[in-house]
């Protein structure tokens, strides 16, 4: 990843809006996800991470659900977080931004005492997550009309 890219937890309203703008660009505009399902009730309590270029241009985002919010996505284990809404703008793909965002979500999970992170990967991205230590489990399923697989990474190893 270029040293001119910073990844941080999105704590202020401007950072959070930048996260939502990247998600809208990638999921709604590029992938055709309906806007009414792209943002959900989980966004309010989630930890959002943001990658920005040195001039402040948003390049990518992801979020961590933990506690009760993650339970429905992780089989109910309170020690497992849920990584989701990982999105990288077209111009930043292939630069290591996605991997840096995943690692930032994992760091946020560790800070909260979580021992693993689950995610629902679009099937075309399985190799990306496997290279980062995630293992697929369960059958393929559709989400927003896009094929996905569940994956998990143990953070204790």
């Amino acid at each position: 990843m270029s040293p001119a890219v910073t990844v941080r937890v999105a704590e202020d309203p401007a950072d959070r809006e930048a996260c939502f703008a990247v998600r809208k660009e990638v999921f709604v505009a590029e992938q055709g996800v309906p806007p009414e399902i792209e943002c959900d009730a989980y966004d309010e309590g989630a930890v959002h991470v943001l990658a920005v270029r040195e001039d402040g241009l948003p390049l990518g985002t992801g979020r961590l659900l933990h506690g009760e919010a993650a339970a429905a996505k992780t089989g109910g284990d309170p020690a497992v977080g849920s990584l989701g809404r990982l999105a990288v703008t077209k111009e930043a793909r292939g630069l290591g931004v996605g991997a840096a965002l995943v690692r930032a979500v994992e760091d946020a999970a560790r800070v909260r005492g979580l021992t693993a992170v689950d995610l629902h990967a679009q099937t075309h991205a399985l190799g990306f997550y496997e290279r980062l230590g995630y293992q697929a489990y369960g059958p393929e399923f559709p989400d927003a009309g896009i094929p996905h697989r569940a994956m998990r990474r143990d953070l204790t190893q």
Side-chain angles (χ1 to χ4, degrees):
M1 186 173 71
S2 164
V5 175
T6 302
V7 178
R8 63 179 180 255
V9 172
E11 295 188 12
D12 65 50
D15 277 356
R16 289 175 68 94
E17 285 306 312
C19 292
F20 297 134
V22 169
R23 286 169 41 179
K24 184 176 180 183
E25 177 184 332
V26 172
F27 297 128
V28 177
E30 282 184 44
Q31 297 182 352
V33 173
E36 61 273 10
I37 67 169
E38 198 291 305
C39 288
D40 60 26
Y42 295 115
D43 281 326
E44 183 63 32
V47 177
H48 298 270
V49 294
L50 176 66
V52 295
R53 207 167 57 189
E54 66 184 339
D55 64 2
L57 182 74
L59 300 176
T61 187
R63 77 175 184 189
L64 171 70
L65 302 181
H66 53 93
E68 237 178 81
K73 298 177 180 285
T74 63
D77 186 339
V80 180
S82 177
L83 186 160
R85 301 303 200 267
L86 187 75
V88 176
T89 60
K90 276 185 187 177
E91 63 270 18
R93 291 180 194 150
L95 303 177
V97 173
L101 288 162
V102 170
R103 295 304 186 221
V105 167
E106 292 170 353
D107 289 345
R110 284 184 190 94
V111 165
R112 285 156 183 80
L114 303 177
T115 59
V117 172
D118 271 18
L119 58 86
H120 293 164
Q122 294 181 6
T123 55
H124 71 83
L126 288 171
F128 165 77
Y129 290 110
E130 288 169 344
R131 287 188 295 278
L132 294 174
Y134 287 80
Q135 296 182 324
Y137 66 90
E140 186 176 296
F141 60 92
D143 187 0
I146 301 168
H148 284 69
R149 291 273 315 271
M151 302 186 84
R152 178 172 286 188
R153 178 164 187 251
D154 182 344
L155 298 178
T156 64
Q157 299 176 357

